[in-house]
Amino acid sequence: MNTVSIAEIRDKVLKGEVALREVVADYISNIEATNGDINAFISVDFESALTQADEIEKKIKSDTAGALAGMVIGIKDVICERGKRATCASNVLADFESVYDATVIEKLKKEDAIFIGRTNMDEFAMGSTNEYSRYGVTKNPHDLTKVPGGSSGGSAAAIAANMATVTLGSDTGGSIRQPASYCGVVGLKPTYGRVSRYGLIAYASSFDCIGPFAHNVEDVARVLEVIAGFDERDNTSSQTAVDRYVESVLNPEKKIRIGVPEEFFSDGLDPEINKGIRENISRLESNGAVVVPIHLPHTKYGIAAYYILATAEASSNLARFDGIRYGHRADKAAVMEELKAEENALRKEFAESEDELAKALARIDSALIRLYKKSRTEGFGTEVKRRIMLGTYVLSSGYYDAYYAKAQKVRRLIQEDYKKAFKEVDVIVTPTAPTTAFDIGSKLDDPVQMYLNDAYTITANLAGICGISVPAGIHSNGLPYGMQFLGDAFQETKILNAARLVELLEN
Ligand code: GLN
């Protein structure tokens, strides 16, 4: 039952062929059997999921159920759910329990989704492998020695391992699409502003998007239709009307114009992935699509611009976790003791000169500053610290123009590349990632190598447009890889349509 779509589940429940409780129990037994190895979920709520199943089954039978009745969902640990921990896989928020629901959670509840647990991630959604988590690495269900991708690696792995029907992730530079590719599932990053960010703990606010993972395009469309829309609590959310995504997925248009940007099929791309995706494109063409070669000339600056702008925003967003307003607080008594000891040492050292002593004492942190430093030092992991430092650096007065302001200009150029391209084509097709999933630990020593991995996903976030990764084939190494469709702002219907056409190629 665990790979069938929501519509089928509901149908079977309605006919009495299966009890919704059994559907949930299936997922539970999968989680119990494999989560110890895979580590996709960091917390689960089986009792509550079973109770929800009973209630929703009644609703299905009395025809009062919402659009997502029958769907079992896992939530990335960066999205707030009332009464549950939202840790962002960080020691800083290890004990934080949300007192409210994110808008997406409210909407999913209203449509009768069943909540089963919280999924693992890279700390504060910074990473491409899910190795930077206080809960330990998530493993790729297709090969436990490989990463699942990141930062929403737990959400992608949970689908691949049949632990839920759908999961939510967040995508700031590719964190939904890249793990979807590595885990062989579908993952969609909506247009910036399509889905409310209210209740999403911020990484880089002008990039962050919430989106769904599932086994198939239809379920992704179904969830998007529920979570999309204007929200007065997020003033970057858009008033643009929400399309009927499911309807168009059920009846996809074959005569679409597909742009192929040569810049995305370049040297760093695994030759087999290159070949596989090009074959799929030819098959779409034989089925009626028109293939148009296009250029996105500023693509090569994407990674540099992203890692300046995203870290700049992160350094500002994460300033609130200082141990006083939010987050882990270091032991105050220990801080006071440390300061006292430093003061005593200075008093001894400069006993001869009152002037020198006063100067030296003035250089000691105040208790508050020391508490901030210690709390943040203890709370944040290495990658998050690296980004706070990088972001603070590019925003500092001497470097602002050279880095931050310049990166903003590059962002605009990338937006314009896309704007021009979408005058000619409905969607743009690219690989989702340059390779299949790689070995756990293999890129940890080289952050730049890690960042390069985002080359094909990152420019969509810079431009604010939408993208989807859909399984495109299995590599000779046995691992899945995805292909990505990018669409202009608020053209989710078009990328869902294109992704659906790829699914149909299988038959
Ligand atoms: N890998 C990218 C980063 O580390 C993307 C992360 C994301 O999309 N949340 O910033």
Side-chain angles (χ1 to χ4, degrees), residues 76 121-129 132 150-152 170-179 189 203-204 207-209 306-307 310-311 383 387 450-451 453-454 457-458 461:
K76 184 177 181 182
M121 57 183 282
D122 284 298
E123 185 179 2
F124 282 104
M126 299 174 187
S128 308
T129 58
Y132 301 122
S151 65
S152 314
S170 65
D171 191 312
T172 304
S175 282
I176 292 176
R177 292 158 288 156
Q178 182 254 24
K189 172 206 124 49
Y203 158 16
F207 296 82
D208 296 341
C209 292
Y306 170 84
Y307 277 98
T311 57
E383 182 60 22
R387 296 195 186 201
M450 190 80 106
Y451 298 166
N453 191 55
D454 302 329
T457 50
I458 238 162
N461 302 74

Side-chain angles (χ1 to χ4, degrees), residues 89 220 230 285 295 310 405:
V220 160
F230 174 68
E285 198 175 15
H295 282 287

Side-chain angles (χ1 to χ4, degrees), residues 369-382:
I369 295 288
R370 182 60 63 90
L371 190 62
Y372 288 158
K373 282 189 185 167
K374 218 168 174 213
S375 301
R376 288 164 68 80
T377 302
E378 290 172 1
F380 291 127
T382 33

